[in-house]
Amino acid sequence: MKRLGVVGMLMLSLAGCTTNTMPETLYGEFARVYVIAEQCRDEIGPETLGEFYHLAGRVKNTWQYDQGELDHQYVKAKRRYEYDKQDCQQLLVTMSQWRHELEDYDQQNTAAVENLRHQQRRLEAITQQNRQNRIQTTYCTESDITHSEICTTY
């Protein structure tokens, strides 16, 4: 049976952008961490297991990934991996790391959204200023039918 060490569990990190494709190597790492979480269910308790699934889902969703490949790797990892209590402790450390990384990720996204909103407000102000400052031209023509003047401003 293959043992997952500290390095293997800690190498899962955020992509930092939802447009990045998950590297092939992370599929197996994610699968093994999921297997460990299931096998540690009694040691960590249902609330912590639920938090694990929430955190893992958020970390996973920072990547574009193939769910079929992840499922395939999960089945392979489930057949190969035996855990011990040290793995359960390491899972808690990994979850703590994910929490911190997700906080940073959320802060970066919030800052990026605020920056985009600021840029949008600036663009709207410039557009409004241009509307007010533009030179308007009026063209008038007399209608042959009604003999009235029709004017259009551009």
Side-chain angles (χ1 to χ4, degrees):
M1 293 284 176
K2 196 171 188 181
R3 302 276 312 137
L4 178 63
V6 173
V7 175
M9 288 183 73
L10 293 179
M11 75 178 280
L12 297 177
S13 62
L14 300 179
C17 180
T18 57
T19 60
N20 287 341
T21 302
M22 182 182 284
E24 293 295 319
T25 55
L26 284 188
Y27 283 97
E29 293 298 320
F30 256 112
R32 284 190 290 272
V33 173
Y34 270 95
V35 168
I36 290 169
E38 285 183 6
Q39 292 176 345
C40 292
R41 177 181 25 235
D42 293 336
E43 287 84 356
I44 64 175
E47 285 183 21
T48 303
L49 183 62
E51 183 184 10
F52 164 79
Y53 285 123
H54 172 75
L55 291 170
R58 288 204 54 214
V59 170
K60 200 172 47 172
N61 286 332
T62 64
W63 299 94
Q64 287 183 350
Y65 64 95
D66 177 356
Q67 185 64 48
E69 177 62 20
L70 190 58
D71 293 343
H72 173 73
Q73 292 295 327
Y74 172 80
V75 169
K76 284 173 49 177
K78 198 164 184 159
R79 279 189 248 133
R80 291 188 206 163
Y81 188 73
E82 285 184 21
Y83 79 106
D84 60 29
K85 290 192 186 279
Q86 182 181 0
D87 292 327
C88 299
Q89 291 302 313
Q90 185 57 49
L91 179 67
L92 298 176
V93 171
T94 298
M95 288 173 60
S96 177
Q97 176 189 1
W98 285 353
R99 269 187 228 101
H100 293 296
E101 288 180 0
L102 287 167
E103 286 172 8
D104 291 344
Y105 182 75
D106 290 342
Q107 288 175 355
Q108 289 172 3
N109 282 343
T110 300
V113 167
E114 286 303 316
N115 186 34
L116 287 174
R117 285 182 182 151
H118 175 71
Q119 289 177 8
Q120 183 178 12
R121 285 190 297 271
R122 284 184 54 212
L123 181 59
E124 288 170 357
I126 291 168
T127 301
Q128 182 64 27
Q129 186 66 35
N130 285 342
R131 282 187 188 133
Q132 291 173 356
N133 293 340
R134 76 177 177 197
I135 298 173
Q136 295 185 346
T137 305
T138 303
Y139 295 98
C140 297
T141 57
E142 188 175 316
S143 171
D144 291 337
I145 298 172
T146 62
H147 299 290
S148 61
E149 192 172 52
I150 300 172
C151 296
T152 307
T153 301
Y154 298 96

